[in-house]
Amino acid sequence: MCGDARNWDEDAYRESILKEREIQTRTVFRTVWAPAQNPNPNPETIVAASSDGSIASYSISSCISKLQSFRNTKAQHLLVAEPDCFVQGHDGPAYDIKFYGDSEDALLLSCGDDGRIRGWRWKDFTNSDVPITLQAGKQMKPVLDLVNPQHKGPWSALSPIPENNAIAVNIQGGSIFSASGDSCAYCWDVETGKLKVVFKGHSDYLHCLVARNSANQIITGSEDGTARIWDCKSGKCIQVIDPAENTKLKGFFSCVSCIALDGSESWLACSSGRCLSIWNLPASECISRTSTRASVQDVLFDDNQILAVGAEPLLCRFDINGAILSQIQCAPPSAFSVSLHPSGVTAVGGYGGLVDVISQFGSHLCTFR
């Protein structure tokens, strides 16, 4: 029999459909493991930055216990996790998050499409005395709020505020670095909130950057197809890295989408389209180039190996010479973030608002949306 349609709410139905579509197409652009609150070596909390501008923290143990309660159902792969704490960090997508410090006094930093860098005290996220209404989504005011400069055009007209796509930190120097959509990188003073240095030289949009703090340098990757090494004191570019140099890719335009440094800050992994190159920085030499099936969208070092994710549902592990060591199927059909906990547990975040948590042995601990 047909149901009674006299109380049908068309607007509510339409809103529910749009909400479901928004959830299905949400993208996690960055995940980061939170500083440990106690000597427990196991990963407990992960923080995610998403395309809806939200910054949210999740308990891994809680997600695992929920999965175990209905392990025999298909829903275990589509667990919708409730965040421990949630803030609407940005107007527009949030692209990157970093911790400034490694204790409960650390700042949680984020950047996004609105051109802002915002910072919250991590202990405010984890403090049980915080009212539950605040944790349910009320605005938690940032203690740091930086905004990119606007450029003057004809008749003193101001440009739109350029977006921030990535951030890095130098705690000893008291600095935050940002990669911006106006082809510049910026260095900010954490204490004063003032702009210290502008790094200008790329000809197009910046996608990524890392801080090479042992040498007081930063490295940026751009849509112009190059990575550049900058001196933080002078703001000058001291080296240009062209991943397509002396290869057949020279005539093929491809941006530098992600870069990573190893623990010694002597090795650089650089992704340009479907090419992953490894560079020895002291020797200024490319050691290996590897072709990948899909574009690499995030990369990091695990000792002398490289983890990479991209536009396919795989977590790939390479050695320093570019040989592939393993491939693990992961939940996001297109992954934008890979983060490694000191215990060896890996988190992969990407399209669909999905986060896949993988053990050091390659098994899936939990997958949640």
Side-chain angles (χ1 to χ4, degrees), residues 130-362:
V130 175
I132 190 66
T133 53
L134 185 66
Q135 295 192 8
K138 299 293 184 181
Q139 269 302 82
M140 184 189 300
K141 290 186 177 180
V143 296
L144 183 71
D145 195 353
L146 310 174
V147 60
N148 280 340
Q150 294 172 273
H151 304 285
K152 283 189 176 182
W155 301 286
S156 298
L158 291 176
S159 69
I161 298 173
E163 68 274 27
N164 283 317
N165 298 303
I167 49 178
V169 301
N170 182 344
I171 298 174
Q172 289 187 341
S175 301
I176 301 172
F177 305 97
S178 61
S180 177
D182 61 358
S183 77
C184 295
Y186 297 100
C187 174
W188 302 85
D189 186 275
V190 175
E191 293 296 327
T192 65
K194 292 183 178 179
L195 184 61
K196 295 198 293 186
V197 185
V198 179
F199 305 90
K200 190 172 184 180
H202 280 289
S203 62
D204 211 333
Y205 189 97
L206 298 192
H207 285 281
C208 51
L209 90 165
V210 292
R212 194 186 184 197
N213 293 330
S214 62
N216 198 27
Q217 298 171 348
I218 62 168
I219 307 175
T220 55
S222 170
E223 186 75 15
D224 65 14
T226 67
R228 290 176 180 248
I229 302 178
W230 308 82
D231 177 68
C232 291
K233 187 174 182 180
S234 66
K236 302 293 185 182
C237 176
I238 58 177
Q239 185 180 347
V240 178
I241 295 173
D242 184 356
E245 187 178 14
N246 300 323
T247 72
K248 294 180 180 180
L249 295 174
K250 186 64 180 175
F252 177 75
F253 184 83
S254 185
C255 68
V256 175
S257 57
C258 55
I259 52 179
L261 282 170
D262 77 322
S264 70
E265 299 189 340
S266 298
W267 297 89
L268 177 75
C270 182
S271 168
S272 180
R274 291 184 292 175
C275 177
L276 180 65
S277 56
I278 310 299
W279 298 74
N280 183 307
L281 294 180
S284 299
E285 182 182 2
C286 180
I287 301 301
S288 66
R289 284 187 177 90
T290 302
S291 295
T292 57
R293 294 193 309 178
S295 296
V296 176
Q297 295 171 160
D298 197 23
V299 64
L300 60 78
F301 276 88
D302 180 10
D303 292 330
N304 61 345
Q305 298 176 354
I306 299 100
L307 299 179
V309 295
E312 60 180 349
L314 290 175
L315 170 63
C316 299
R317 183 180 292 268
F318 300 89
D319 68 15
I320 202 73
N321 296 313
I324 192 159
L325 301 176
S326 67
Q327 291 181 320
I328 299 174
Q329 195 81 17
C330 56
S334 181
F336 290 89
S337 172
V338 56
S339 53
L340 182 66
H341 189 268
S343 66
V345 175
T346 306
V348 177
Y351 185 76
L354 292 170
V355 176
D356 201 351
V357 182
I358 302 169
S359 77
Q360 59 268 49
F361 307 110

Side-chain angles (χ1 to χ4, degrees), residues 32-35 37 42-47 56-61 84 99 122 126 341:
V32 63
W33 294 102
Q37 300 294 309
N42 296 320
E44 175 52 34
T45 302
I46 194 165
V47 186
S57 63
Y58 298 89
S59 167
I60 297 303
S61 60
D84 292 340
F99 278 97
W122 177 239
T126 57
H341 189 268

Side-chain angles (χ1 to χ4, degrees), residues 60-184:
I60 297 303
S61 60
S62 175
C63 290
I64 292 175
S65 65
K66 287 180 180 177
L67 282 176
Q68 289 175 342
S69 67
F70 46 91
R71 182 174 293 276
N72 295 325
T73 70
K74 292 182 180 180
Q76 63 177 315
H77 298 296
L78 299 172
L79 174 67
V80 178
E82 291 295 330
D84 292 340
C85 192
F86 170 99
V87 292
Q88 188 61 42
H90 297 273
D91 295 326
Y95 291 129
D96 200 6
I97 43 177
K98 290 285 188 302
F99 278 97
Y100 185 88
D102 56 5
S103 67
E104 73 170 16
D105 293 327
L107 288 179
L108 175 62
L109 304 173
S110 70
C111 71
D113 198 58
D114 56 6
R116 293 185 178 275
I117 300 172
R118 287 181 167 146
W120 293 267
R121 291 189 181 91
W122 177 239
K123 63 184 178 182
D124 291 343
F125 270 69
T126 57
N127 191 347
S128 59
D129 295 330
V130 175
I132 190 66
T133 53
L134 185 66
Q135 295 192 8
K138 299 293 184 181
Q139 269 302 82
M140 184 189 300
K141 290 186 177 180
V143 296
L144 183 71
D145 195 353
L146 310 174
V147 60
N148 280 340
Q150 294 172 273
H151 304 285
K152 283 189 176 182
W155 301 286
S156 298
L158 291 176
S159 69
I161 298 173
E163 68 274 27
N164 283 317
N165 298 303
I167 49 178
V169 301
N170 182 344
I171 298 174
Q172 289 187 341
S175 301
I176 301 172
F177 305 97
S178 61
S180 177
D182 61 358
S183 77
C184 295

